[in-house]
Amino acid sequence: MRTATAIDLVAAARTDADLFGTDQPARRYRELVAALHPDRLPADPAVRAEAVDAFIHVTTRWQARQVTVLGDYRLRAPAHSGDLADLYDVGDGRLLKLPRRPADNDLMAREAHALHTIAERGDPRYLPYVPRLVDEFPHRDAATGAERRINVLATAPGLHDLDEVRRAYPDGLDARDVAWMWRRLLVALGLAHSAGIVHGAVLPRHVLIEPAAHGVVLIDWCFSAPIGGTIPAMVPGHDDAWYPEEVPRKRQCGPGTDIAMASRCMSWLMGSRAPHELHAFAQGCRQRSLDARPDDAWRLLREFDQVLDRLYGPRTFRPFTLTP
């Protein structure tokens, strides 16, 4: 496209459809930008001035097209892509969670219910171990009529999931580093179970750590259920090996469901570097039957501390980094 043609097109356009067309708007945008870019303009000062004005107009209009407004929130590109939803950074440490399919609205409702219940019934000292539910609302797509349920969440910055940790330590993590992650994960589970909630998907991608401060946050409560209920679905891409048998068989779940999955994550982190005592402890948490597993995360934490004390003596702070 010639510069003069692009200038005339911009001047004549009254709507985005006039400017970018309706067939391939991204292609038209690239053509306009190429024709009007200041680095490619002729020497004539008058033409340059018109072209620069047109260039600014095109880029401003295109950027405005990339913003979606949902409720009180303006969205650009997703910051993260989760199991069933895209997450958008909406500022102030908040993430808007938008399900990709309206069929998953029930799972979004489960997350909102779980986080609300934990905030209402849980010990305030431990609430930072789970995301904070900032807002929830339905949104109806004007074009399709489809309604999707939206959650807005807040949590600490600088978090990394256990998948990242394992990639940083492909030969397995030192058990002394896993120890603080395990302890804090048990605190998160104790908080939830005390409120009557089972997480139902304690998987590496849902356990986030803050390496320097030894923080842990358990995210994605979309697969949660009340104690005694059934877990509604399994996370795509995870086979049955990650789950205790009551989940795929749609049987009653309980605190032991989460405890089994948490111990599986920790064993996976250590790999072959797990000391015999911690390997045995984890195996005890993963008994085949739910009734045979520990069902009190707080009591289990005390037992875990006893094992650690026998292995390593009194606890000391051990710095951890994702750059070994």
Side-chain angles (χ1 to χ4, degrees):
M1 182 183 296
R2 297 174 58 191
T3 299
T5 303
I7 292 172
D8 291 343
L9 193 155
V10 173
R14 294 291 176 266
T15 67
D16 281 357
D18 294 338
L19 185 58
F20 301 115
T22 56
D23 186 22
Q24 294 180 304
R27 179 178 178 180
R28 171 68 64 81
Y29 168 71
R30 290 193 296 271
E31 291 174 347
L32 289 169
V33 167
L36 298 168
H37 197 281
D39 292 345
R40 302 181 179 180
L41 298 180
D44 186 325
V47 174
R48 287 183 66 87
E50 282 188 280
V52 168
D53 287 344
F55 177 81
I56 293 172
H57 183 77
V58 168
T59 54
T60 301
R61 290 275 289 270
W62 182 257
Q63 289 172 0
R65 281 173 58 94
Q66 309 314 303
V67 177
T68 301
V69 178
L70 299 182
D72 296 329
Y73 305 95
R74 294 170 64 83
L75 313 185
R76 292 189 183 273
H80 308 284
S81 184
D83 300 319
L84 52 91
D86 294 320
L87 290 95
Y88 297 82
D89 187 342
V90 292
D92 298 327
R94 301 167 302 166
L95 290 171
L96 183 146
K97 190 170 182 177
L98 177 66
R100 289 185 286 273
R101 302 187 311 142
D104 290 327
N105 283 343
D106 61 323
L107 301 181
M108 299 292 291
R110 282 177 178 265
E111 176 171 70
H113 171 75
L115 294 177
H116 176 76
T117 302
I118 292 170
E120 187 177 68
R121 301 179 186 174
D123 189 323
R125 293 176 296 172
Y126 305 121
L127 290 179
Y129 285 79
V130 302
R132 177 169 58 92
L133 181 67
V134 176
D135 198 1
E136 54 174 317
F137 59 94
H139 172 74
R140 185 175 296 279
D141 189 301
T144 66
E147 184 172 284
R148 289 183 286 179
R149 186 183 180 104
I150 294 168
N151 295 336
V152 182
L153 311 171
T155 189
L159 300 174
H160 305 268
D161 65 40
L162 294 189
D163 281 331
E164 293 179 71
V165 176
R166 192 66 167 86
R167 285 195 296 270
Y169 292 85
D171 296 327
L173 201 56
D174 190 301
R176 291 170 294 176
D177 295 315
V178 172
W180 65 260
M181 301 176 196
W182 203 338
R183 292 190 76 258
R184 285 157 177 75
L185 183 52
L186 286 173
V187 170
L189 296 181
L191 171 72
H193 299 162
S194 296
I197 301 293
V198 174
H199 183 275
V202 186
L203 298 164
R205 67 172 63 180
H206 297 156
V207 181
L208 307 186
I209 68 161
E210 199 292 303
H214 285 193
V216 166
V217 179
L218 182 58
I219 65 165
D220 205 338
W221 293 78
C222 290
F223 303 91
S224 60
I227 292 175
T230 57
I231 303 304
M234 295 169 65
V235 176
H238 287 75
D239 59 30
D240 290 5
W242 283 100
Y243 288 89
E245 65 174 18
E246 64 270 15
V247 176
R249 296 187 180 186
K250 296 294 183 183
R251 293 177 179 171
Q252 187 179 67
C253 68
T257 303
D258 287 342
I259 288 171
M261 297 188 76
S263 71
R264 173 76 174 84
C265 289
M266 298 301 113
S267 293
W268 173 77
L269 275 182
M270 292 183 288
S272 60
R273 301 185 66 181
H276 171 74
E277 293 85 350
L278 289 184
H279 177 73
F281 183 87
Q283 288 293 102
C285 294
R286 297 202 298 269
Q287 296 292 324
R288 184 182 181 88
S289 167
L290 177 63
D291 293 338
R293 291 180 224 135
D295 64 356
D296 185 330
W298 297 116
R299 185 169 64 240
L300 188 64
L301 176 58
R302 293 192 293 271
E303 295 174 5
F304 185 53
D305 282 343
Q306 292 170 5
V307 175
L308 294 176
D309 188 64
R310 291 194 298 270
L311 274 172
Y312 304 116
R315 288 203 306 274
T316 58
F317 185 84
R318 177 180 164 87
F320 179 73
T321 175
L322 283 180
T323 54

